[in-house]
Amino acid sequence: MQSRLQELKQAALTRLAEVTDAQQLQELRVKYLGKKGELTEILRGMGSLSAAERPLIGQLVNQVRSELEAAIADKQAALEQASLAARLAAEALDVTLPGRPLARGTMHPLSRVIEQAEDIFLGLGFEVAEGPEVELDHFNFEMLNIPKNHPARDMQDSFYITEEILLRTQTSPVQARTLLRKEGKTPVKIICPGKVYRRDDDDATHSHQFTQIEGLVVDKGIRMSDLKGTLLTFARQMFGEHQQIRLRPSFFPFTEPSVEVDIQCILCGGEGCRICKHTGWIEILGAGMVHPRVLEMGGYNPREVSGFAFGMGVERIAMLRYGIEDIRHFYTNDVRFLRQFHRVQGGTGR
Ligand code: DAH
């Protein structure tokens, strides 16, 4: 019996040494230590032993069992260690490899100018308003004191959808919409950036679609000097703190009096050059005191309140600020153009 046990132990240890995976190990455990395994069988055979032998053999069986159990546990630990090492080797990362560069986009120069203008006007207490690009003739013209057959409608050849509906030719209809929305309350103090459409032939300075920023202020006692101060502040924050502006008389049906506003040429600083046609000044927007008819149609009493309005072309401002010579660059989305705005900072550091 003793020698059978020794043989069994030897055989088990030899096979254990040959085991290479968890499944073989499990089979071996069952074969020797399981309920129907070889050790159990020996225990069962103990009935035939003498009373003196039984405790001795019993002890020996237990000893062999615990030796085998320990050996199997060791083997299991060794197998787990090996498989972990194999996995680590297979999944090894070289953290010193350089990363793949991400192509980062950049803000479009028009969006950038709009954002800067919004910043400036928000700082002056304005709100940002919006209006539809597909607009009623009523708001685009009528409510702005531009009746049917008015010559101003010729100046702005328009994309009509029906007789009464068109693509807005200016952001000024938002003035009328805002006045109605405010229902006679003051103050009204909004800007409205947005796209506008005209039947122009595209060239270096014209586009059938472009961007404007409208401004409108209505309150008691608003004067021309408020318009001038607001626009001077805007010009200095947008183009540099020493900027000067110049107001020239002009005409718009929805303002009276009307002006065109120039800034000093940002290229020559007023000396006179090709860009400013040797005048030293460059026009950037139209403006004026809101026409009493426009206030009236908007539900305000022109004897109680007054206001100013302005409208500027965003492309023009972006072209001046960034020295862009062709308006079409804004719309063709050539990355060689757009990439140049990665690090562009404005004159104000915005
Ligand atoms: N809407 C005018 C245009 O498109 C620009 C303009 C001029 C807007 C004077 C105004 C203004 O609000 O007061 O040419």
Side-chain angles (χ1 to χ4, degrees), residues 144 146 155-156 169-173 175 196 198 210 212-216 227 251-260 283 285-290 308-313:
L144 293 166
I146 317 177
M155 278 163 34
Q156 305 180 340
T169 60
Q170 47 186 353
T171 43
S172 306
Q175 287 189 30
V196 300
R198 290 184 196 177
F210 60 102
Q212 288 188 334
I213 298 176
E214 193 76 16
L216 173 68
L227 169 65
F251 172 79
F252 299 102
F254 35 90
T255 45
E256 180 57 35
S258 304
V259 291
E260 274 172 333
E283 185 206 324
L285 55 86
M289 300 308 289
V290 180
F308 68 75
F310 57 87
M312 65 183 95

Side-chain angles (χ1 to χ4, degrees), residues 70-143:
I72 285 173
D74 283 353
K75 184 73 182 187
Q76 182 161 358
L79 282 178
E80 277 166 9
Q81 189 67 45
S83 94
L84 180 64
R87 243 180 63 206
L88 284 177
E91 294 172 7
L93 274 185
D94 181 353
V95 292
T96 65
L97 279 178
R100 292 192 195 111
L102 276 183
R104 261 206 295 153
T106 155
M107 193 182 262
H108 193 280
L110 292 179
S111 309
R112 191 186 289 260
V113 168
I114 289 175
E115 206 164 83
Q116 289 165 355
E118 285 177 351
D119 267 2
I120 296 170
F121 284 109
L122 287 177
L124 294 172
F126 284 69
E127 283 168 39
V128 178
E130 283 188 348
E133 288 172 32
V134 179
E135 182 57 286
L136 292 171
D137 179 282
H138 179 70
F139 286 114
N140 196 77
F141 293 127
E142 222 93 346
M143 290 283 286

Side-chain angles (χ1 to χ4, degrees), residues 5-252:
L5 267 172
Q6 279 312 328
E7 273 163 33
L8 183 143
K9 185 174 125 185
Q10 271 320 313
L13 289 177
T14 313
R15 296 184 63 161
L16 185 61
E18 288 160 6
V19 160
T20 55
D21 65 31
Q23 191 182 342
Q24 291 173 0
L25 188 68
Q26 180 59 13
E27 283 166 11
L28 188 124
R29 181 184 282 127
V30 171
K31 179 171 161 62
Y32 290 102
L33 303 178
K35 277 200 192 112
K36 293 177 186 154
E38 299 192 9
L39 263 182
T40 318
E41 208 170 290
I42 291 178
L43 275 176
R44 283 216 192 90
M46 295 226 312
S48 61
L49 295 177
S50 71
E53 267 179 322
R54 231 177 270 159
L56 241 157
I57 297 297
Q59 208 181 8
L60 205 59
V61 167
N62 282 338
Q63 194 183 325
V64 169
R65 174 184 291 278
S66 48
E67 278 177 42
L68 285 183
E69 272 169 358
I72 285 173
D74 283 353
K75 184 73 182 187
Q76 182 161 358
L79 282 178
E80 277 166 9
Q81 189 67 45
S83 94
L84 180 64
R87 243 180 63 206
L88 284 177
E91 294 172 7
L93 274 185
D94 181 353
V95 292
T96 65
L97 279 178
R100 292 192 195 111
L102 276 183
R104 261 206 295 153
T106 155
M107 193 182 262
H108 193 280
L110 292 179
S111 309
R112 191 186 289 260
V113 168
I114 289 175
E115 206 164 83
Q116 289 165 355
E118 285 177 351
D119 267 2
I120 296 170
F121 284 109
L122 287 177
L124 294 172
F126 284 69
E127 283 168 39
V128 178
E130 283 188 348
E133 288 172 32
V134 179
E135 182 57 286
L136 292 171
D137 179 282
H138 179 70
F139 286 114
N140 196 77
F141 293 127
E142 222 93 346
M143 290 283 286
L144 293 166
N145 202 30
I146 317 177
K148 288 212 164 41
N149 307 320
H150 191 285
R153 289 195 177 183
D154 286 341
M155 278 163 34
Q156 305 180 340
D157 267 1
S158 316
F159 288 111
Y160 274 91
I161 292 167
T162 68
E163 286 248 312
E164 298 303 328
I165 301 174
L166 76 164
L167 299 183
R168 69 180 175 196
T169 60
Q170 47 186 353
T171 43
S172 306
V174 181
Q175 287 189 30
R177 286 180 172 278
T178 303
L179 291 180
L180 292 179
R181 180 168 57 84
K182 289 279 195 171
E183 297 177 323
K185 290 193 203 74
T186 51
V188 176
K189 212 168 172 190
I190 57 113
I191 57 160
C192 168
K195 294 194 182 91
V196 300
Y197 303 83
R198 290 184 196 177
R199 286 172 89 124
D200 272 331
D201 288 329
D202 293 359
D203 61 25
T205 51
H206 295 84
S207 166
H208 60 282
Q209 180 224 290
F210 60 102
T211 322
Q212 288 188 334
I213 298 176
E214 193 76 16
L216 173 68
V217 173
V218 174
D219 205 347
K220 285 204 173 70
I222 296 293
R223 297 180 301 183
M224 195 91 178
S225 51
D226 297 311
L227 169 65
K228 202 172 166 187
T230 302
L231 293 179
L232 181 61
T233 304
F234 169 76
R236 290 191 167 165
Q237 292 202 30
M238 184 59 92
F239 293 104
E241 55 180 326
H242 299 299
Q243 256 302 335
Q244 295 295 340
I245 59 169
R246 179 175 82 166
L247 274 56
R248 282 179 292 107
S250 183
F251 172 79
F252 299 102

